[in-house]
Amino acid sequence: YSDTISGALASLYAQLKEGKEVHGFLDSFAVSSAFPYSGNAYYLPKPAGRLAFNGTDEDLVRKKAKKARFIEYSIWNKVVAGQQPAISQEQFNGEFLVSAQDAGSFKMPYTTAVHQRVAVSRDGMSDAVPFFFEWKFFAKDAGLYCIIDGHCIYHKQLFLSLQQSLP
C-alpha cells in the first residue's frame, strides 16, 4: 500500500507543480505500510518474538497471542517499551488484540472474500493454472491508515487536496 500512497501523492504533487521536481518530492518523505483502524482504535503489527503479558491465564493468553497479527496502539506501546501489560483472553478477537475497554464491543474492521481465477496458457500447450486472491471489505467506520515522515512545504497542501478528492 505504501507504493500506492506514494504514487498518489506524487501524482497530486505533479498536478500542483506542473510536473516539476517530482523525484525530489518523492525523496522528501517516507511512507509506512498500511495498518487497520476501527473507530478510534488504531492497530500496529505484532512485534516479532515472544510477547510477555501479565494475566490470570498466561498460558491461554500466550497461545492466543501467537495468532494475533495486530495489537491496539496503547498495548503495542507498552510491549515495545519492554513492559508486560495485563491482558485477558477476552481481548483477543481473531487476529486482533484489542484494548480492555473495547474487548466486549469489538467488531472486525473488515470481512474477507476469497475468489478463484484461472491463468490460461498463452501458448496453448500448458494447462490452465488456478490462483486465488482475497478481497477485504472495510466497515463504514474502519479502514487503513499509514504513517508518513517527511518535511516538505507542500505536504499540507497535498493532504488537503487528497482529502478533497476522496468520496
Side-chain angles (χ1 to χ4, degrees):
Y1 296 111
S2 62
D3 290 344
T4 302
I5 293 167
S6 295
L9 292 174
S11 176
L12 280 172
Y13 181 84
Q15 290 174 14
L16 291 172
K17 299 299 288 175
E18 299 174 357
K20 299 175 186 170
E21 304 172 16
V22 175
H23 290 290
F25 169 73
L26 284 171
D27 291 337
S28 72
F29 66 95
V31 179
S32 73
S33 295
F35 310 115
Y37 73 90
S38 181
N40 291 326
Y42 292 85
Y43 298 90
L44 288 165
K46 179 178 76 173
R50 186 174 178 182
L51 303 179
F53 297 113
N54 287 325
T56 55
D57 218 351
E58 287 185 47
D59 289 335
L60 187 56
V61 166
R62 191 171 289 117
K63 287 179 184 178
K64 289 190 174 205
K66 286 181 182 180
K67 296 178 184 177
R69 288 185 53 210
F70 299 104
I71 299 178
E72 192 270 332
Y73 177 73
S74 65
I75 300 169
W76 187 89
N77 272 338
K78 291 176 184 174
V79 169
V80 297
Q83 299 173 14
Q84 294 184 354
I87 301 294
S88 70
Q89 62 178 334
E90 290 79 24
Q91 289 177 253
F92 290 95
N93 193 317
E95 59 186 12
F96 289 87
L97 171 54
V98 303
S99 65
Q101 61 264 22
D102 290 340
S105 62
F106 178 79
K107 293 180 185 168
M108 286 295 286
Y110 53 80
T111 58
T112 60
V114 177
H115 295 272
Q116 180 179 1
R117 297 285 189 262
V118 177
V120 178
S121 167
R122 293 182 185 207
D123 64 9
M125 303 299 283
S126 303
D127 291 336
V129 178
F131 66 94
F132 300 87
F133 60 95
E134 181 180 34
W135 288 358
K136 291 189 179 190
F137 301 95
F138 286 89
K140 187 174 184 172
D141 66 340
L144 296 173
Y145 75 97
C146 66
I147 300 167
I148 298 179
D149 181 26
H151 304 288
C152 174
I153 60 172
Y154 299 108
H155 285 169
K156 185 175 181 179
Q157 185 179 3
L158 284 170
F159 288 112
L160 290 173
S161 297
L162 182 62
Q163 187 177 20
Q164 291 169 356
S165 69
L166 296 174

PDB file of all heavy atoms in Angstrom, residues 36-73:
ATOM      1  N   PRO A  36      -4.611  -1.444   9.921  1.00  0.00           N
ATOM      2  CA  PRO A  36      -6.063  -1.271  10.118  1.00  0.00           C
ATOM      3  C   PRO A  36      -6.401  -0.363  11.299  1.00  0.00           C
ATOM      4  O   PRO A  36      -5.648  -0.253  12.258  1.00  0.00           O
ATOM      5  CB  PRO A  36      -6.549  -2.696  10.377  1.00  0.00           C
ATOM      6  CG  PRO A  36      -5.369  -3.430  10.899  1.00  0.00           C
ATOM      7  CD  PRO A  36      -4.157  -2.782  10.289  1.00  0.00           C
ATOM      8  N   TYR A  37      -7.549   0.281  11.163  1.00  0.00           N
ATOM      9  CA  TYR A  37      -8.143   1.003  12.283  1.00  0.00           C
ATOM     10  C   TYR A  37      -9.624   0.694  12.296  1.00  0.00           C
ATOM     11  O   TYR A  37     -10.204   0.289  11.284  1.00  0.00           O
ATOM     12  CB  TYR A  37      -7.897   2.520  12.208  1.00  0.00           C
ATOM     13  CG  TYR A  37      -8.714   3.222  11.160  1.00  0.00           C
ATOM     14  CD1 TYR A  37      -9.977   3.748  11.460  1.00  0.00           C
ATOM     15  CD2 TYR A  37      -8.247   3.367   9.859  1.00  0.00           C
ATOM     16  CE1 TYR A  37     -10.737   4.387  10.496  1.00  0.00           C
ATOM     17  CE2 TYR A  37      -9.004   4.003   8.895  1.00  0.00           C
ATOM     18  CZ  TYR A  37     -10.247   4.518   9.218  1.00  0.00           C
ATOM     19  OH  TYR A  37     -10.999   5.148   8.258  1.00  0.00           O
ATOM     20  N   SER A  38     -10.232   0.861  13.451  1.00  0.00           N
ATOM     21  CA  SER A  38     -11.672   0.657  13.602  1.00  0.00           C
ATOM     22  C   SER A  38     -12.166   1.681  14.610  1.00  0.00           C
ATOM     23  O   SER A  38     -11.765   1.639  15.777  1.00  0.00           O
ATOM     24  CB  SER A  38     -11.966  -0.761  14.086  1.00  0.00           C
ATOM     25  OG  SER A  38     -13.351  -0.970  14.214  1.00  0.00           O
ATOM     26  N   GLY A  39     -12.995   2.620  14.160  1.00  0.00           N
ATOM     27  CA  GLY A  39     -13.427   3.698  15.034  1.00  0.00           C
ATOM     28  C   GLY A  39     -12.224   4.504  15.466  1.00  0.00           C
ATOM     29  O   GLY A  39     -11.442   4.975  14.641  1.00  0.00           O
ATOM     30  N   ASN A  40     -12.035   4.640  16.771  1.00  0.00           N
ATOM     31  CA  ASN A  40     -10.888   5.378  17.303  1.00  0.00           C
ATOM     32  C   ASN A  40      -9.742   4.468  17.715  1.00  0.00           C
ATOM     33  O   ASN A  40      -8.785   4.930  18.341  1.00  0.00           O
ATOM     34  CB  ASN A  40     -11.319   6.219  18.514  1.00  0.00           C
ATOM     35  CG  ASN A  40     -12.216   7.359  18.101  1.00  0.00           C
ATOM     36  OD1 ASN A  40     -12.067   7.924  17.028  1.00  0.00           O
ATOM     37  ND2 ASN A  40     -13.176   7.689  18.947  1.00  0.00           N
ATOM     38  N   ALA A  41      -9.821   3.193  17.392  1.00  0.00           N
ATOM     39  CA  ALA A  41      -8.773   2.239  17.754  1.00  0.00           C
ATOM     40  C   ALA A  41      -7.853   2.010  16.553  1.00  0.00           C
ATOM     41  O   ALA A  41      -8.309   1.658  15.464  1.00  0.00           O
ATOM     42  CB  ALA A  41      -9.390   0.914  18.195  1.00  0.00           C
ATOM     43  N   TYR A  42      -6.566   2.219  16.786  1.00  0.00           N
ATOM     44  CA  TYR A  42      -5.566   2.038  15.743  1.00  0.00           C
ATOM     45  C   TYR A  42      -4.687   0.854  16.110  1.00  0.00           C
ATOM     46  O   TYR A  42      -4.323   0.678  17.261  1.00  0.00           O
ATOM     47  CB  TYR A  42      -4.722   3.315  15.599  1.00  0.00           C
ATOM     48  CG  TYR A  42      -5.543   4.447  15.043  1.00  0.00           C
ATOM     49  CD1 TYR A  42      -6.316   5.245  15.883  1.00  0.00           C
ATOM     50  CD2 TYR A  42      -5.571   4.692  13.677  1.00  0.00           C
ATOM     51  CE1 TYR A  42      -7.092   6.274  15.371  1.00  0.00           C
ATOM     52  CE2 TYR A  42      -6.339   5.718  13.159  1.00  0.00           C
ATOM     53  CZ  TYR A  42      -7.101   6.504  14.008  1.00  0.00           C
ATOM     54  OH  TYR A  42      -7.872   7.500  13.497  1.00  0.00           O
ATOM     55  N   TYR A  43      -4.363   0.042  15.107  1.00  0.00           N
ATOM     56  CA  TYR A  43      -3.625  -1.192  15.328  1.00  0.00           C
ATOM     57  C   TYR A  43      -2.303  -1.166  14.575  1.00  0.00           C
ATOM     58  O   TYR A  43      -2.207  -0.631  13.476  1.00  0.00           O
ATOM     59  CB  TYR A  43      -4.467  -2.400  14.873  1.00  0.00           C
ATOM     60  CG  TYR A  43      -5.741  -2.506  15.660  1.00  0.00           C
ATOM     61  CD1 TYR A  43      -6.900  -1.865  15.235  1.00  0.00           C
ATOM     62  CD2 TYR A  43      -5.774  -3.196  16.861  1.00  0.00           C
ATOM     63  CE1 TYR A  43      -8.065  -1.934  15.992  1.00  0.00           C
ATOM     64  CE2 TYR A  43      -6.931  -3.270  17.615  1.00  0.00           C
ATOM     65  CZ  TYR A  43      -8.072  -2.629  17.167  1.00  0.00           C
ATOM     66  OH  TYR A  43      -9.213  -2.686  17.925  1.00  0.00           O
ATOM     67  N   LEU A  44      -1.304  -1.775  15.203  1.00  0.00           N
ATOM     68  CA  LEU A  44       0.018  -1.916  14.604  1.00  0.00           C
ATOM     69  C   LEU A  44       0.383  -3.397  14.579  1.00  0.00           C
ATOM     70  O   LEU A  44      -0.175  -4.189  15.340  1.00  0.00           O
ATOM     71  CB  LEU A  44       1.052  -1.129  15.410  1.00  0.00           C
ATOM     72  CG  LEU A  44       0.934   0.389  15.267  1.00  0.00           C
ATOM     73  CD1 LEU A  44       1.723   1.100  16.356  1.00  0.00           C
ATOM     74  CD2 LEU A  44       1.405   0.826  13.895  1.00  0.00           C
ATOM     75  N   PRO A  45       1.311  -3.791  13.715  1.00  0.00           N
ATOM     76  CA  PRO A  45       1.673  -5.203  13.636  1.00  0.00           C
ATOM     77  C   PRO A  45       2.306  -5.700  14.935  1.00  0.00           C
ATOM     78  O   PRO A  45       3.026  -4.972  15.608  1.00  0.00           O
ATOM     79  CB  PRO A  45       2.696  -5.268  12.510  1.00  0.00           C
ATOM     80  CG  PRO A  45       2.739  -3.944  11.889  1.00  0.00           C
ATOM     81  CD  PRO A  45       2.044  -2.977  12.759  1.00  0.00           C
ATOM     82  N   LYS A  46       2.013  -6.940  15.249  1.00  0.00           N
ATOM     83  CA  LYS A  46       2.603  -7.562  16.438  1.00  0.00           C
ATOM     84  C   LYS A  46       4.113  -7.619  16.252  1.00  0.00           C
ATOM     85  O   LYS A  46       4.602  -8.071  15.215  1.00  0.00           O
ATOM     86  CB  LYS A  46       2.038  -8.969  16.615  1.00  0.00           C
ATOM     87  CG  LYS A  46       2.614  -9.711  17.813  1.00  0.00           C
ATOM     88  CD  LYS A  46       2.001 -11.075  17.968  1.00  0.00           C
ATOM     89  CE  LYS A  46       2.583 -12.011  16.936  1.00  0.00           C
ATOM     90  NZ  LYS A  46       2.166 -13.399  17.106  1.00  0.00           N
ATOM     91  N   PRO A  47       4.873  -7.153  17.239  1.00  0.00           N
ATOM     92  CA  PRO A  47       6.332  -7.244  17.143  1.00  0.00           C
ATOM     93  C   PRO A  47       6.794  -8.704  17.063  1.00  0.00           C
ATOM     94  O   PRO A  47       6.136  -9.607  17.589  1.00  0.00           O
ATOM     95  CB  PRO A  47       6.823  -6.597  18.450  1.00  0.00           C
ATOM     96  CG  PRO A  47       5.681  -5.771  18.930  1.00  0.00           C
ATOM     97  CD  PRO A  47       4.439  -6.468  18.457  1.00  0.00           C
ATOM     98  N   ALA A  48       7.907  -8.915  16.419  1.00  0.00           N
ATOM     99  CA  ALA A  48       8.460 -10.265  16.292  1.00  0.00           C
ATOM    100  C   ALA A  48       8.933 -10.760  17.656  1.00  0.00           C
ATOM    101  O   ALA A  48       9.281  -9.985  18.531  1.00  0.00           O
ATOM    102  CB  ALA A  48       9.613 -10.263  15.302  1.00  0.00           C
ATOM    103  N   GLY A  49       8.931 -12.044  17.809  1.00  0.00           N
ATOM    104  CA  GLY A  49       9.412 -12.648  19.049  1.00  0.00           C
ATOM    105  C   GLY A  49       8.276 -12.946  20.013  1.00  0.00           C
ATOM    106  O   GLY A  49       7.112 -12.673  19.756  1.00  0.00           O
ATOM    107  N   ARG A  50       8.649 -13.516  21.122  1.00  0.00           N
ATOM    108  CA  ARG A  50       7.668 -13.901  22.141  1.00  0.00           C
ATOM    109  C   ARG A  50       7.259 -12.672  22.945  1.00  0.00           C
ATOM    110  O   ARG A  50       8.109 -11.916  23.426  1.00  0.00           O
ATOM    111  CB  ARG A  50       8.280 -14.952  23.056  1.00  0.00           C
ATOM    112  CG  ARG A  50       7.324 -15.517  24.044  1.00  0.00           C
ATOM    113  CD  ARG A  50       7.989 -16.638  24.802  1.00  0.00           C
ATOM    114  NE  ARG A  50       7.061 -17.160  25.791  1.00  0.00           N
ATOM    115  CZ  ARG A  50       7.356 -18.110  26.626  1.00  0.00           C
ATOM    116  NH1 ARG A  50       8.554 -18.658  26.603  1.00  0.00           N
ATOM    117  NH2 ARG A  50       6.472 -18.530  27.482  1.00  0.00           N
ATOM    118  N   LEU A  51       5.976 -12.481  23.106  1.00  0.00           N
ATOM    119  CA  LEU A  51       5.467 -11.336  23.844  1.00  0.00           C
ATOM    120  C   LEU A  51       5.252 -11.711  25.302  1.00  0.00           C
ATOM    121  O   LEU A  51       4.820 -12.820  25.612  1.00  0.00           O
ATOM    122  CB  LEU A  51       4.149 -10.855  23.242  1.00  0.00           C
ATOM    123  CG  LEU A  51       4.192 -10.474  21.769  1.00  0.00           C
ATOM    124  CD1 LEU A  51       2.816 -10.037  21.303  1.00  0.00           C
ATOM    125  CD2 LEU A  51       5.199  -9.380  21.528  1.00  0.00           C
ATOM    126  N   ALA A  52       5.562 -10.785  26.184  1.00  0.00           N
ATOM    127  CA  ALA A  52       5.388 -11.013  27.617  1.00  0.00           C
ATOM    128  C   ALA A  52       4.164 -10.251  28.099  1.00  0.00           C
ATOM    129  O   ALA A  52       4.065  -9.042  27.914  1.00  0.00           O
ATOM    130  CB  ALA A  52       6.625 -10.557  28.371  1.00  0.00           C
ATOM    131  N   PHE A  53       3.214 -10.981  28.687  1.00  0.00           N
ATOM    132  CA  PHE A  53       1.997 -10.385  29.214  1.00  0.00           C
ATOM    133  C   PHE A  53       1.788 -10.844  30.646  1.00  0.00           C
ATOM    134  O   PHE A  53       2.198 -11.928  31.027  1.00  0.00           O
ATOM    135  CB  PHE A  53       0.764 -10.809  28.401  1.00  0.00           C
ATOM    136  CG  PHE A  53       0.769 -10.360  26.979  1.00  0.00           C
ATOM    137  CD1 PHE A  53       0.862 -11.272  25.947  1.00  0.00           C
ATOM    138  CD2 PHE A  53       0.662  -9.017  26.659  1.00  0.00           C
ATOM    139  CE1 PHE A  53       0.839 -10.862  24.625  1.00  0.00           C
ATOM    140  CE2 PHE A  53       0.644  -8.596  25.351  1.00  0.00           C
ATOM    141  CZ  PHE A  53       0.745  -9.518  24.330  1.00  0.00           C
ATOM    142  N   ASN A  54       1.125 -10.009  31.415  1.00  0.00           N
ATOM    143  CA  ASN A  54       0.638 -10.410  32.736  1.00  0.00           C
ATOM    144  C   ASN A  54      -0.839 -10.703  32.580  1.00  0.00           C
ATOM    145  O   ASN A  54      -1.539 -10.004  31.859  1.00  0.00           O
ATOM    146  CB  ASN A  54       0.819  -9.275  33.763  1.00  0.00           C
ATOM    147  CG  ASN A  54       2.260  -9.108  34.151  1.00  0.00           C
ATOM    148  OD1 ASN A  54       2.999 -10.077  34.227  1.00  0.00           O
ATOM    149  ND2 ASN A  54       2.654  -7.878  34.384  1.00  0.00           N
ATOM    150  N   GLY A  55      -1.308 -11.701  33.252  1.00  0.00           N
ATOM    151  CA  GLY A  55      -2.727 -12.016  33.183  1.00  0.00           C
ATOM    152  C   GLY A  55      -3.044 -13.217  34.031  1.00  0.00           C
ATOM    153  O   GLY A  55      -2.155 -13.918  34.520  1.00  0.00           O
ATOM    154  N   THR A  56      -4.328 -13.477  34.181  1.00  0.00           N
ATOM    155  CA  THR A  56      -4.751 -14.573  35.033  1.00  0.00           C
ATOM    156  C   THR A  56      -4.496 -15.924  34.386  1.00  0.00           C
ATOM    157  O   THR A  56      -4.210 -16.891  35.069  1.00  0.00           O
ATOM    158  CB  THR A  56      -6.249 -14.434  35.361  1.00  0.00           C
ATOM    159  OG1 THR A  56      -6.977 -14.341  34.140  1.00  0.00           O
ATOM    160  CG2 THR A  56      -6.504 -13.196  36.192  1.00  0.00           C
ATOM    161  N   ASP A  57      -4.579 -16.001  33.085  1.00  0.00           N
ATOM    162  CA  ASP A  57      -4.441 -17.267  32.372  1.00  0.00           C
ATOM    163  C   ASP A  57      -3.305 -17.147  31.357  1.00  0.00           C
ATOM    164  O   ASP A  57      -3.520 -17.166  30.156  1.00  0.00           O
ATOM    165  CB  ASP A  57      -5.764 -17.586  31.668  1.00  0.00           C
ATOM    166  CG  ASP A  57      -6.104 -19.052  31.709  1.00  0.00           C
ATOM    167  OD1 ASP A  57      -5.245 -19.836  32.124  1.00  0.00           O
ATOM    168  OD2 ASP A  57      -7.229 -19.393  31.322  1.00  0.00           O
ATOM    169  N   GLU A  58      -2.075 -17.039  31.848  1.00  0.00           N
ATOM    170  CA  GLU A  58      -0.941 -16.713  30.990  1.00  0.00           C
ATOM    171  C   GLU A  58      -0.725 -17.708  29.851  1.00  0.00           C
ATOM    172  O   GLU A  58      -0.399 -17.310  28.746  1.00  0.00           O
ATOM    173  CB  GLU A  58       0.330 -16.584  31.827  1.00  0.00           C
ATOM    174  CG  GLU A  58       0.357 -15.322  32.654  1.00  0.00           C
ATOM    175  CD  GLU A  58       1.665 -15.143  33.387  1.00  0.00           C
ATOM    176  OE1 GLU A  58       2.726 -15.310  32.752  1.00  0.00           O
ATOM    177  OE2 GLU A  58       1.616 -14.839  34.586  1.00  0.00           O
ATOM    178  N   ASP A  59      -0.918 -18.999  30.089  1.00  0.00           N
ATOM    179  CA  ASP A  59      -0.708 -19.990  29.032  1.00  0.00           C
ATOM    180  C   ASP A  59      -1.711 -19.807  27.898  1.00  0.00           C
ATOM    181  O   ASP A  59      -1.352 -19.853  26.724  1.00  0.00           O
ATOM    182  CB  ASP A  59      -0.798 -21.413  29.586  1.00  0.00           C
ATOM    183  CG  ASP A  59       0.404 -21.777  30.458  1.00  0.00           C
ATOM    184  OD1 ASP A  59       1.474 -21.160  30.252  1.00  0.00           O
ATOM    185  OD2 ASP A  59       0.264 -22.646  31.331  1.00  0.00           O
ATOM    186  N   LEU A  60      -2.975 -19.608  28.241  1.00  0.00           N
ATOM    187  CA  LEU A  60      -4.004 -19.406  27.225  1.00  0.00           C
ATOM    188  C   LEU A  60      -3.777 -18.094  26.478  1.00  0.00           C
ATOM    189  O   LEU A  60      -3.897 -18.039  25.255  1.00  0.00           O
ATOM    190  CB  LEU A  60      -5.401 -19.424  27.861  1.00  0.00           C
ATOM    191  CG  LEU A  60      -6.576 -19.400  26.902  1.00  0.00           C
ATOM    192  CD1 LEU A  60      -6.493 -20.552  25.910  1.00  0.00           C
ATOM    193  CD2 LEU A  60      -7.875 -19.500  27.684  1.00  0.00           C
ATOM    194  N   VAL A  61      -3.415 -17.049  27.197  1.00  0.00           N
ATOM    195  CA  VAL A  61      -3.131 -15.752  26.571  1.00  0.00           C
ATOM    196  C   VAL A  61      -1.945 -15.889  25.620  1.00  0.00           C
ATOM    197  O   VAL A  61      -1.972 -15.367  24.502  1.00  0.00           O
ATOM    198  CB  VAL A  61      -2.876 -14.671  27.646  1.00  0.00           C
ATOM    199  CG1 VAL A  61      -2.245 -13.429  27.046  1.00  0.00           C
ATOM    200  CG2 VAL A  61      -4.169 -14.321  28.363  1.00  0.00           C
ATOM    201  N   ARG A  62      -0.912 -16.607  26.022  1.00  0.00           N
ATOM    202  CA  ARG A  62       0.264 -16.792  25.170  1.00  0.00           C
ATOM    203  C   ARG A  62      -0.106 -17.527  23.876  1.00  0.00           C
ATOM    204  O   ARG A  62       0.372 -17.173  22.796  1.00  0.00           O
ATOM    205  CB  ARG A  62       1.343 -17.559  25.944  1.00  0.00           C
ATOM    206  CG  ARG A  62       2.684 -17.555  25.240  1.00  0.00           C
ATOM    207  CD  ARG A  62       3.798 -18.118  26.103  1.00  0.00           C
ATOM    208  NE  ARG A  62       4.108 -17.189  27.189  1.00  0.00           N
ATOM    209  CZ  ARG A  62       3.946 -17.472  28.480  1.00  0.00           C
ATOM    210  NH1 ARG A  62       3.498 -18.638  28.855  1.00  0.00           N
ATOM    211  NH2 ARG A  62       4.265 -16.594  29.395  1.00  0.00           N
ATOM    212  N   LYS A  63      -0.980 -18.529  23.963  1.00  0.00           N
ATOM    213  CA  LYS A  63      -1.414 -19.261  22.770  1.00  0.00           C
ATOM    214  C   LYS A  63      -2.189 -18.344  21.826  1.00  0.00           C
ATOM    215  O   LYS A  63      -2.007 -18.378  20.620  1.00  0.00           O
ATOM    216  CB  LYS A  63      -2.278 -20.467  23.159  1.00  0.00           C
ATOM    217  CG  LYS A  63      -1.490 -21.593  23.756  1.00  0.00           C
ATOM    218  CD  LYS A  63      -2.393 -22.742  24.145  1.00  0.00           C
ATOM    219  CE  LYS A  63      -1.602 -23.845  24.838  1.00  0.00           C
ATOM    220  NZ  LYS A  63      -2.453 -24.955  25.270  1.00  0.00           N
ATOM    221  N   LYS A  64      -3.060 -17.533  22.384  1.00  0.00           N
ATOM    222  CA  LYS A  64      -3.838 -16.608  21.553  1.00  0.00           C
ATOM    223  C   LYS A  64      -2.948 -15.515  20.968  1.00  0.00           C
ATOM    224  O   LYS A  64      -3.181 -15.048  19.857  1.00  0.00           O
ATOM    225  CB  LYS A  64      -4.988 -15.999  22.351  1.00  0.00           C
ATOM    226  CG  LYS A  64      -6.085 -17.004  22.635  1.00  0.00           C
ATOM    227  CD  LYS A  64      -7.313 -16.334  23.199  1.00  0.00           C
ATOM    228  CE  LYS A  64      -8.417 -17.370  23.319  1.00  0.00           C
ATOM    229  NZ  LYS A  64      -9.730 -16.770  23.282  1.00  0.00           N
ATOM    230  N   ALA A  65      -1.922 -15.106  21.709  1.00  0.00           N
ATOM    231  CA  ALA A  65      -1.010 -14.068  21.224  1.00  0.00           C
ATOM    232  C   ALA A  65      -0.259 -14.528  19.983  1.00  0.00           C
ATOM    233  O   ALA A  65       0.079 -13.717  19.125  1.00  0.00           O
ATOM    234  CB  ALA A  65      -0.036 -13.666  22.325  1.00  0.00           C
ATOM    235  N   LYS A  66       0.005 -15.821  19.868  1.00  0.00           N
ATOM    236  CA  LYS A  66       0.681 -16.340  18.683  1.00  0.00           C
ATOM    237  C   LYS A  66      -0.140 -16.107  17.429  1.00  0.00           C
ATOM    238  O   LYS A  66       0.404 -15.906  16.351  1.00  0.00           O
ATOM    239  CB  LYS A  66       0.951 -17.841  18.836  1.00  0.00           C
ATOM    240  CG  LYS A  66       2.050 -18.182  19.791  1.00  0.00           C
ATOM    241  CD  LYS A  66       2.254 -19.679  19.843  1.00  0.00           C
ATOM    242  CE  LYS A  66       3.319 -20.060  20.843  1.00  0.00           C
ATOM    243  NZ  LYS A  66       3.510 -21.518  20.901  1.00  0.00           N
ATOM    244  N   LYS A  67      -1.466 -16.130  17.549  1.00  0.00           N
ATOM    245  CA  LYS A  67      -2.349 -15.963  16.397  1.00  0.00           C
ATOM    246  C   LYS A  67      -2.613 -14.502  16.056  1.00  0.00           C
ATOM    247  O   LYS A  67      -3.060 -14.191  14.970  1.00  0.00           O
ATOM    248  CB  LYS A  67      -3.677 -16.670  16.655  1.00  0.00           C
ATOM    249  CG  LYS A  67      -3.537 -18.168  16.791  1.00  0.00           C
ATOM    250  CD  LYS A  67      -4.869 -18.814  17.086  1.00  0.00           C
ATOM    251  CE  LYS A  67      -4.693 -20.308  17.310  1.00  0.00           C
ATOM    252  NZ  LYS A  67      -5.945 -20.955  17.678  1.00  0.00           N
ATOM    253  N   ALA A  68      -2.351 -13.610  16.998  1.00  0.00           N
ATOM    254  CA  ALA A  68      -2.617 -12.188  16.772  1.00  0.00           C
ATOM    255  C   ALA A  68      -1.651 -11.618  15.736  1.00  0.00           C
ATOM    256  O   ALA A  68      -0.464 -11.927  15.737  1.00  0.00           O
ATOM    257  CB  ALA A  68      -2.503 -11.414  18.080  1.00  0.00           C
ATOM    258  N   ARG A  69      -2.168 -10.805  14.845  1.00  0.00           N
ATOM    259  CA  ARG A  69      -1.337 -10.100  13.865  1.00  0.00           C
ATOM    260  C   ARG A  69      -1.235  -8.619  14.180  1.00  0.00           C
ATOM    261  O   ARG A  69      -0.250  -7.976  13.839  1.00  0.00           O
ATOM    262  CB  ARG A  69      -1.919 -10.267  12.455  1.00  0.00           C
ATOM    263  CG  ARG A  69      -1.753 -11.650  11.891  1.00  0.00           C
ATOM    264  CD  ARG A  69      -2.229 -11.741  10.452  1.00  0.00           C
ATOM    265  NE  ARG A  69      -1.600 -10.716   9.627  1.00  0.00           N
ATOM    266  CZ  ARG A  69      -2.178 -10.171   8.567  1.00  0.00           C
ATOM    267  NH1 ARG A  69      -3.377 -10.504   8.204  1.00  0.00           N
ATOM    268  NH2 ARG A  69      -1.543  -9.241   7.862  1.00  0.00           N
ATOM    269  N   PHE A  70      -2.296  -8.058  14.796  1.00  0.00           N
ATOM    270  CA  PHE A  70      -2.350  -6.629  15.062  1.00  0.00           C
ATOM    271  C   PHE A  70      -2.673  -6.372  16.527  1.00  0.00           C
ATOM    272  O   PHE A  70      -3.521  -7.046  17.103  1.00  0.00           O
ATOM    273  CB  PHE A  70      -3.408  -5.954  14.182  1.00  0.00           C
ATOM    274  CG  PHE A  70      -3.123  -6.097  12.711  1.00  0.00           C
ATOM    275  CD1 PHE A  70      -3.833  -6.995  11.942  1.00  0.00           C
ATOM    276  CD2 PHE A  70      -2.129  -5.338  12.113  1.00  0.00           C
ATOM    277  CE1 PHE A  70      -3.575  -7.127  10.591  1.00  0.00           C
ATOM    278  CE2 PHE A  70      -1.853  -5.474  10.762  1.00  0.00           C
ATOM    279  CZ  PHE A  70      -2.584  -6.374  10.003  1.00  0.00           C
ATOM    280  N   ILE A  71      -1.980  -5.380  17.100  1.00  0.00           N
ATOM    281  CA  ILE A  71      -2.144  -5.039  18.507  1.00  0.00           C
ATOM    282  C   ILE A  71      -2.580  -3.581  18.600  1.00  0.00           C
ATOM    283  O   ILE A  71      -2.007  -2.711  17.926  1.00  0.00           O
ATOM    284  CB  ILE A  71      -0.823  -5.246  19.277  1.00  0.00           C
ATOM    285  CG1 ILE A  71      -0.395  -6.720  19.203  1.00  0.00           C
ATOM    286  CG2 ILE A  71      -0.967  -4.798  20.717  1.00  0.00           C
ATOM    287  CD1 ILE A  71       0.924  -7.011  19.889  1.00  0.00           C
ATOM    288  N   GLU A  72      -3.565  -3.342  19.442  1.00  0.00           N
ATOM    289  CA  GLU A  72      -4.056  -1.973  19.646  1.00  0.00           C
ATOM    290  C   GLU A  72      -2.904  -1.091  20.110  1.00  0.00           C
ATOM    291  O   GLU A  72      -2.037  -1.521  20.870  1.00  0.00           O
ATOM    292  CB  GLU A  72      -5.205  -1.993  20.668  1.00  0.00           C
ATOM    293  CG  GLU A  72      -5.983  -0.704  20.741  1.00  0.00           C
ATOM    294  CD  GLU A  72      -5.399   0.255  21.750  1.00  0.00           C
ATOM    295  OE1 GLU A  72      -4.773  -0.195  22.727  1.00  0.00           O
ATOM    296  OE2 GLU A  72      -5.561   1.472  21.555  1.00  0.00           O
ATOM    297  N   TYR A  73      -2.910   0.143  19.647  1.00  0.00           N
ATOM    298  CA  TYR A  73      -1.786   1.069  19.803  1.00  0.00           C
ATOM    299  C   TYR A  73      -1.296   1.225  21.247  1.00  0.00           C
ATOM    300  O   TYR A  73      -0.095   1.184  21.492  1.00  0.00           O
ATOM    301  CB  TYR A  73      -2.199   2.429  19.226  1.00  0.00           C
ATOM    302  CG  TYR A  73      -1.166   3.497  19.384  1.00  0.00           C
ATOM    303  CD1 TYR A  73      -0.020   3.484  18.604  1.00  0.00           C
ATOM    304  CD2 TYR A  73      -1.327   4.520  20.302  1.00  0.00           C
ATOM    305  CE1 TYR A  73       0.947   4.466  18.746  1.00  0.00           C
ATOM    306  CE2 TYR A  73      -0.368   5.506  20.448  1.00  0.00           C
ATOM    307  CZ  TYR A  73       0.759   5.477  19.666  1.00  0.00           C
ATOM    308  OH  TYR A  73       1.711   6.442  19.809  1.00  0.00           O
TER     309      TYR A  73
END
